[in-house]
Amino acid sequence: MITKGNSIVSKGKTVKKAVMIALDLLSEKLEDVEIEIIENESKGILGIGSKQAVVRVTVKQQPDHKISTELVLDKHPPEELDQIIQSLDISEESIQPAHFNIKKIAHFSEVDLLGKVWVTDGQIYCKDAPDKFPVISPCKGLKLYQNDVLIEKTVIISENDILRYELEDEVQQPHWEISISANKMEAVLKVIPGSRIQRTLREKEPHSFLQVEVEEKKIPLMIDSELVMSNLREMGITYGIDYSEIANACMSEETNSFVIAKGIPAIPGKNGFFQPTQELDIKKGLEERSNGTVDYREIQKFPSVEPGQMLGIVLPPESGIPGTTITNEPALPPDGFPLVVQDGRGIILVEDDTKVVAMEAGHPDIKLKGMLLKISIVPKLWIRSDVTLQVGNVRYIGEVEITGSVQDGMLVDAQGNILIHENVNMATISAGSSVIIKNNIITSAVTAGKNSFMIAESNQILGELIPLMKQMIAAINQLSTVSAFKVSSFTQTGLGPLIKILCDGKFKRFPPLLFSLNEKIKSGKDMLDKEWLELGEQLYKGFIMTHASSFRSIADVELVAKKAEELWASSQEDQEGGDCFIKAALVHNSQLYSSGDITIVGQGVYHSKLRSGGSIEIDGYVRGGEIYAGKSVKVGEAGTKGGISTKIVVPKGHTIKIGTVMEDTIIQIGSFTYKFTASASNVTARVNKDGLFSIS
């Protein structure tokens, strides 16, 4: 029996008897006390595991009069006390999680349980013994009370003790937030899931010493989808909501982002474009003769037009289709841009500049850069003899066709294609496009895509300058916010002094690159387009002439930077080889460069250097020299028996195929090099997907 002030904890076979014992000890009436049922009675099984009822009876506060100690139980007969107790809304189930007693475990006999303590169904039980005392020890994270006293170390317990424990669940609430994309086309729900760590007592077999242990179970806490929907409404998101994705997000057990609303993007308008009315591009591919054979020497045809022939139609831009944002607002599409046609030589625009008509005979030259279309007719120059001293060097803006040979020391330089029906002997051939030599190239230099070198070198420098220009613009913008250094003060003098300060400080790399580009453009003024020449002049006047810079504002610098970026992008496309190629029957002691492919369809190549931006294909042999291709190489036979060095190189990702290869031949793919020590046949070399050099 435990007493404390005007409160008493009492035991009895029944609740009623426990209450009556407490009232007797307190000398109080039933109506003057408060009754708390701590534990209901239990009969157990066959008398084993039975437990008494436990109640706490507390005297009510009576400030106006002295509490009577007269025992008046006879005023409340047992039947009335039973009714009062039965009316209390306290069930055994509601108090079990906090209070414990003794219970038998089915597979242990009563003798086995003597002097032992155990845990089952989340409750602590023990059985007294005359010669052995059950011992219990608490654990971290659990508050264990023995008769309302906190147990902090190992203690002895008995059946008469009232044990209770306190376990707190650990709760981490889920976190979520909704963000809207800048264009209001998507709403993203980012979820960091929550959880509840539910703690219970671990089951323990009967033992004289019990170390209490706690089990933890993680229970995910789901997000209330109604809160998400309410937040969507507050943010004005009413269109394109994906309810199934919201459900997935709310039930997610991992941190993730979910697109819970999507708008319908506007469909941009179509730009104006040029629609040819006939074949205007160079036609590639082999054609079969009437007898069923194929002429490998004729791999391309150059289209031509006659005066008065319509080349195509300039079509206007088309309007786009509006979309809808997730806030149910219209998303207006960007307008299409009209195509600007610049009529060049031999071209006229008719019917409100919508139709392009040729005024001369020749090859149509069409170049599209952005929304600017340049069209001109390139006439062909026919030379119906050998090119000799009597004819002189040939320099021509269009195409050149020579029915004879090009003899010693002569030059043929054309911006278009060059076709030579016979041989090239100790001569120089340079074409803006392709070169076809139907017979042999002997001790000569042949170039297809003559301005590719100049554009590639200029573009490389420009590519390094553009980021520096952007950084310089950002620096000037930052300086404009400094009160002691106003950019507006340079309106009259220009930005030259400020550019000089920046170049002398943070941008020391800028002036050397700029001077290098300026010199490169000057040296190639006869081969570069006027866009390069104009940009070179603008860069020189703006950045180099700092004492009288043409830049009056940041907008001037930004405009030049934009032009530089556009020219760099278009020049990148120009370097891809396009329709440039070289085709010949035999190459001896010569140098060939093509920004596109090189094809040798006759005997082969002897002691020469070939460099191609595309692929190289040689039907015959390669004896000595060097072969460099931007793509793949295919050779019939490579190497010599006399020990002359033969080297074939391609970038990583491409292949080298050789029908027969001699010893001492060197092949290289990327950084991988291999030298054949013995002859081999049907060789295919590549770098496999694992980055390993492979020869099969």
Side-chain angles (χ1 to χ4, degrees):
M1 197 70 60
I2 301 174
T3 61
K4 186 177 181 182
N6 292 329
S7 176
I8 188 170
V9 176
S10 174
K11 291 183 180 181
K13 290 186 177 181
T14 65
V15 171
K16 180 178 72 174
K17 289 183 179 180
V19 171
M20 291 178 67
I21 292 171
L23 290 174
D24 188 20
L25 293 171
L26 290 170
S27 299
E28 293 290 340
K29 301 175 183 178
L30 184 62
E31 62 266 30
D32 295 328
V33 299
E34 295 178 348
I35 300 171
E36 178 187 355
I37 299 176
I38 298 175
E39 190 152 296
N40 281 317
E41 69 272 17
S42 175
K43 294 180 180 180
I45 301 174
L46 299 177
I48 299 174
S50 62
K51 53 185 178 180
Q52 294 180 317
V54 182
V55 298
R56 178 183 283 110
V57 179
T58 304
V59 179
K60 295 180 181 178
Q61 296 294 329
Q62 298 180 3
D64 296 332
H65 58 279
K66 184 178 179 180
I67 300 175
S68 173
T69 58
E70 182 182 359
L71 186 63
V72 288
L73 286 178
D74 59 322
K75 294 182 180 180
H76 296 277
E79 294 79 7
E80 183 179 348
L81 187 61
D82 272 337
Q83 292 177 2
I84 294 173
I85 293 173
Q86 293 299 327
S87 68
L88 294 175
D89 187 18
I90 302 177
S91 64
E92 182 178 2
E93 182 180 355
S94 68
I95 62 175
Q96 278 184 347
H99 305 281
F100 311 94
N101 212 307
I102 304 170
K103 180 178 180 181
K104 179 179 178 182
I105 298 180
H107 56 280
F108 285 85
S109 67
E110 185 174 0
V111 175
D112 293 334
L113 298 176
L114 291 174
K116 295 182 180 179
V117 57
W118 65 93
V119 177
T120 184
D121 296 332
Q123 298 187 51
I124 303 173
Y125 300 95
C126 71
K127 184 70 175 176
D128 292 344
D131 59 346
K132 189 183 295 184
F133 296 94
V135 177
I136 192 169
S137 179
C139 67
K140 185 178 180 181
L142 170 75
K143 290 184 178 180
L144 181 62
Y145 296 88
Q146 182 183 30
N147 301 321
D148 287 334
V149 177
L150 179 65
I151 299 173
E152 296 181 348
K153 58 182 180 179
T154 304
V155 297
I156 296 173
I157 62 172
S158 70
E159 296 178 26
N160 294 325
D161 288 332
I162 298 174
L163 299 177
R164 64 183 179 88
Y165 66 87
E166 294 177 0
L167 281 175
E168 291 187 3
D169 292 349
E170 181 181 332
V171 178
Q172 181 179 355
Q173 295 296 336
H175 176 74
W176 57 273
E177 62 178 355
I178 299 174
S179 60
I180 301 177
S181 61
N183 60 2
K184 296 185 179 181
M185 281 296 164
E186 280 189 354
V188 176
L189 173 59
K190 183 178 181 181
V191 173
I192 301 176
S195 63
R196 177 189 297 276
I197 306 298
Q198 189 179 67
R199 297 185 172 96
T200 57
L201 289 186
R202 188 186 300 277
E203 298 282 311
K204 289 283 188 175
E205 295 287 332
H207 201 277
S208 58
F209 171 77
L210 177 67
Q211 174 67 58
V212 181
E213 295 181 9
V214 175
E215 289 184 330
E216 294 185 348
K217 181 181 179 182
K218 186 175 181 180
I219 303 173
L221 295 181
M222 301 301 146
I223 297 171
D224 187 349
S225 60
E226 183 54 41
L227 293 178
V228 176
M229 292 301 301
S230 176
N231 194 202
L232 285 176
R233 289 190 290 269
E234 291 175 4
M235 297 174 73
I237 300 172
T238 59
Y239 186 84
I241 298 174
D242 189 338
Y243 297 98
S244 62
E245 197 67 2
I246 292 176
N248 292 336
C250 291
M251 294 187 293
S252 175
E253 297 183 19
E254 296 180 357
T255 299
N256 210 339
S257 296
F258 300 83
V259 179
I260 59 173
K262 286 184 179 180
I264 299 178
I267 299 176
K270 293 183 179 180
N271 293 332
F273 64 98
F274 177 70
Q275 180 176 297
T277 53
Q278 58 179 306
E279 185 63 50
L280 299 178
D281 295 325
I282 297 175
K283 188 177 180 181
K284 293 184 177 182
L286 301 172
E287 290 188 0
E288 189 176 319
R289 296 192 184 99
S290 57
N291 60 3
T293 61
V294 174
D295 185 357
Y296 287 94
R297 295 172 176 82
E298 301 296 332
I299 62 174
Q300 289 198 122
K301 288 185 177 180
F302 301 101
S304 61
V305 294
E306 300 294 333
Q309 189 171 352
M310 186 169 72
L311 305 183
I313 301 172
V314 180
L315 296 176
E318 297 180 9
S319 301
I321 301 175
T324 306
T325 67
I326 57 176
T327 55
N328 206 22
E329 299 173 285
L332 301 179
D335 295 330
F337 293 98
L339 181 69
V340 178
V341 180
Q342 184 178 20
D343 51 334
R345 174 176 175 171
I347 292 296
I348 187 172
L349 300 176
V350 299
E351 296 186 12
D352 297 327
D353 296 341
T354 61
K355 293 183 179 180
V356 181
V357 179
M359 297 301 288
E360 296 180 9
H363 170 64
D365 182 26
I366 301 176
K367 294 180 180 178
L368 179 63
K369 291 185 179 181
M371 295 307 296
L372 176 63
L373 180 69
K374 298 180 180 179
I375 303 179
S376 58
I377 300 298
V378 180
K380 180 185 290 187
L381 174 64
W382 288 81
I383 300 177
R384 303 182 186 278
S385 63
D386 292 347
V387 176
T388 61
L389 286 173
Q390 286 73 24
V391 175
N393 289 335
V394 177
R395 303 179 186 274
Y396 195 65
I397 193 172
E399 295 183 21
V400 174
E401 183 168 349
I402 301 169
T403 58
S405 298
V406 180
Q407 298 297 340
D408 300 3
M410 301 307 297
L411 167 70
V412 178
D413 187 346
Q415 292 187 16
N417 306 298
I418 296 177
L419 171 60
I420 301 172
H421 289 260
E422 298 297 334
N423 304 310
V424 175
N425 301 308
M426 301 179 66
T428 300
I429 308 297
S430 179
S433 292
S434 302
V435 177
I436 296 177
I437 299 170
K438 292 190 174 183
N439 288 329
N440 308 321
I441 302 174
I442 309 296
T443 318
S444 298
V446 179
T447 302
K450 65 177 181 178
N451 60 347
S452 295
F453 285 118
M454 186 62 63
I455 292 177
E457 292 175 356
S458 301
N459 221 41
Q460 182 179 355
I461 302 172
L462 185 59
E464 296 180 51
L465 276 173
I466 289 171
L468 292 175
M469 276 194 281
K470 290 183 176 180
Q471 292 174 20
M472 189 175 290
I473 291 170
I476 296 173
N477 279 319
Q478 290 177 11
L479 288 173
S480 67
T481 63
V482 180
S483 59
F485 199 80
K486 290 296 183 181
V487 176
S488 58
S489 63
F490 294 96
T491 304
Q492 299 298 324
T493 61
L495 294 179
L498 179 55
I499 291 172
K500 188 176 188 306
I501 292 172
L502 292 173
C503 289
D504 291 341
K506 187 176 180 181
F507 298 90
K508 290 181 179 179
R509 284 186 60 238
F510 192 83
L513 285 172
L514 197 58
F515 278 105
S516 178
L517 178 63
N518 188 59
E519 291 301 315
K520 187 66 64 178
I521 292 175
K522 282 183 179 179
S523 63
K525 62 181 180 179
D526 294 330
M527 289 180 280
L528 295 174
D529 293 337
K530 67 176 182 179
E531 287 86 357
W532 278 101
L533 304 180
E534 290 173 356
L535 178 64
E537 185 177 0
Q538 290 175 332
L539 291 173
Y540 181 83
K541 290 182 177 179
F543 290 105
I544 296 178
M545 297 176 60
T546 54
H547 62 283
S549 175
S550 60
F551 296 148
R552 297 292 167 180
S553 65
I554 298 176
D556 294 340
V557 187
E558 291 174 337
L559 181 61
V560 172
K562 182 179 179 182
K563 287 182 179 179
E565 201 166 9
E566 291 174 350
L567 182 58
W568 179 85
S570 63
S571 297
Q572 286 289 100
E573 298 174 358
D574 291 343
Q575 295 177 56
E576 295 177 357
D579 298 316
C580 295
F581 68 92
I582 293 176
K583 172 182 169 294
L586 179 141
V587 180
H588 183 276
N589 194 31
S590 297
Q591 295 184 3
L592 276 63
Y593 171 82
S594 171
S595 59
D597 299 336
I598 294 177
T599 304
I600 308 300
V601 296
Q603 299 176 47
V605 177
Y606 181 79
H607 199 58
S608 297
K609 179 180 288 187
L610 277 62
R611 186 178 295 270
S612 165
S615 300
I616 294 179
E617 184 171 350
I618 302 170
D619 289 346
Y621 56 77
V622 176
R623 307 229 188 273
E626 299 174 350
I627 305 293
Y628 294 86
K631 295 181 180 178
S632 298
V633 170
K634 183 178 180 182
V635 174
E637 181 180 323
T640 67
K641 296 180 180 180
I644 300 176
S645 175
T646 303
K647 186 175 183 179
I648 302 174
V649 182
V650 299
K652 183 179 178 181
H654 295 282
T655 60
I656 297 175
K657 294 184 178 182
I658 307 173
T660 302
V661 61
M662 304 291 187
E663 61 182 322
D664 295 330
T665 299
I666 299 172
I667 61 173
Q668 180 178 334
I669 300 179
S671 60
F672 295 92
T673 301
Y674 180 83
K675 183 176 182 179
F676 288 89
T677 57
S679 299
S681 299
N682 298 322
V683 171
T684 299
R686 61 171 60 87
V687 175
N688 62 27
K689 62 181 181 180
D690 298 322
L692 301 176
F693 188 72
S694 169
I695 297 180
S696 58

